[in-house]
Amino acid sequence: MVSIIAARHVVRLSRRMRLFSTTVARDAEVKRLGVVGAGQMGLGIALVAAQKANVPVTLVDSSQKSLDKGLAFAEKLLAKDVSKQRITQEQADTVRDLLKPATSLDSLGEIDFVIEAVPEIPELKFDIFSKLAQICPKHAILATNTSSISITRIAAATTQDPRDTSNSSRVVSTHFMNPVPIQKGVEIISGLQTSKETLDAAVAFCERMGKIASVSADSPGFLANRILMPYINEAIICLDTGVGSRDSIDAIMKNGTNVPMGPLQLADFIGLDTCLAIMKVLHTETGDSKYRPSVLLRNMVDAGWLGKKSGKGFYDY
């Protein structure tokens, strides 16, 4: 008798999951996008979505100043594209009209897909996703642009009952590379709860944005940073221990492996504080000493030498 009851329960649960999956799949054609965070990454995502996918984008930031700054930067990028004849003035005007600024998450009540691109602060992301799960339509995909925080943990923030996957199964990561308008790659990461329909829809929409998707498991650093950051960290260790000079380290990697810039210059462009934060996550979450951040990297961040954004890093700007 118990086994019969259990079997019936499984059948009912399977039907509910199929119903949810069908809903996500049917609405995978994104007609309205939301982006949370008007910083460099969020603005880049919003701009590319409007320009390449031709969807209206609601760009949300609690700071009106950040919104104004982001939209002014978008104007500058569009004007540059027009001057170089990459797009027409009419196309630039169309993209501009598709970008709608807002200061409240409540403005995302009718979107089909939302991408969060706020700073890498776990509690901030958990709070945002908890709210998005209540505000956004039930078919909407909830994506994060995190480069290091567990997607499974972010998905868990969308529900108080771990048995209820109606919200957590539609959480995924779309980790775009910086700068978004230029870099083709995007990393799609599934959490433990993410449904296949959500993953497939995320890949499809990113490809619609003109990106090339790579799929990763929810593991510390995912693919890009799991490979890239130890490479940068080892280059810094080589500099710190006198194995080679700054110019020699960058030159051998540029001229020997055909990368566009050496690891030290790349670290400056990423931001040394960002590099350090990711290395700390890798070291803490794996417990592996090979991810221990370089002493020189820590010292440079302490000195405020963060790279291009601060005017000084391994190079002067």
Side-chain angles (χ1 to χ4, degrees), residues 18-256:
R18 283 200 300 271
L19 176 62
F20 169 72
S21 298
T22 301
T23 302
V24 171
R26 186 172 64 243
D27 290 292
E29 181 67 19
V30 178
K31 298 178 181 177
R32 296 155 299 184
L33 177 71
V35 176
V36 181
Q40 185 176 11
M41 291 301 296
L43 188 280
I45 293 167
L47 187 61
V48 171
Q51 193 167 1
K52 299 293 185 181
N54 196 35
V55 293
V57 183
T58 302
L59 180 62
V60 180
D61 198 295
S62 59
S63 167
Q64 185 63 51
K65 182 179 179 181
S66 294
L67 283 170
D68 293 342
K69 182 178 179 181
L71 292 174
F73 185 56
E75 290 276 4
K76 182 178 178 181
L77 292 178
L78 290 170
K80 183 178 179 180
D81 283 346
V82 171
S83 68
K84 292 183 176 293
Q85 298 184 332
R86 294 171 182 156
I87 60 174
T88 65
Q89 184 61 54
E90 183 180 1
Q91 289 172 321
D93 293 341
T94 298
V95 171
R96 188 182 301 108
D97 290 342
L98 288 173
L99 299 175
K100 306 295 183 184
T103 56
S104 173
L105 292 177
D106 291 334
S107 62
L108 300 176
E110 296 183 354
I111 54 89
D112 304 305
F113 199 118
V114 61
I115 301 173
E116 164 273 313
V118 304
E120 292 288 271
I121 303 171
E123 291 73 19
L124 175 60
K125 291 183 185 286
F126 300 157
D127 180 60
I128 287 172
F129 273 80
S130 176
K131 292 174 181 175
L132 290 176
Q134 302 304 315
I135 294 170
C136 299
K138 291 303 179 183
H139 72 268
I141 291 172
L142 312 178
T144 174
N145 187 57
T146 184
S147 60
S148 58
I149 299 170
S150 166
I151 312 308
T152 299
R153 290 179 64 198
I154 292 174
T158 64
T159 180
Q160 295 182 341
D161 184 352
R163 296 169 297 180
D164 178 9
T165 60
S166 59
N167 287 326
S168 59
S169 62
R170 57 193 177 114
V171 175
V172 68
S173 175
T174 52
H175 176 212
F176 291 84
M177 303 296 116
N178 190 25
V180 182
I182 296 173
Q183 299 286 18
K184 287 287 188 182
V186 61
E187 199 171 27
I188 312 293
I189 304 108
S190 290
L192 186 63
Q193 310 94 319
T194 307
S195 71
K196 183 180 184 302
E197 290 75 19
T198 296
L199 176 64
D200 291 345
V203 170
F205 182 64
C206 288
E207 289 178 345
R208 186 175 152 198
M209 288 175 64
K211 301 303 181 183
I212 300 171
S214 296
V215 178
S216 169
D218 187 14
S219 182
F222 315 133
L223 280 177
N225 285 326
R226 187 73 167 263
I227 297 167
L228 176 63
M229 287 305 161
Y231 157 70
I232 288 175
N233 193 56
E234 191 62 32
I236 299 171
I237 292 172
C238 286
L239 177 65
D240 191 22
T241 56
V243 176
S245 68
R246 177 198 69 182
D247 293 345
S248 290
I249 290 168
D250 276 357
I252 192 58
M253 296 313 296
K254 285 173 63 179
N255 301 316

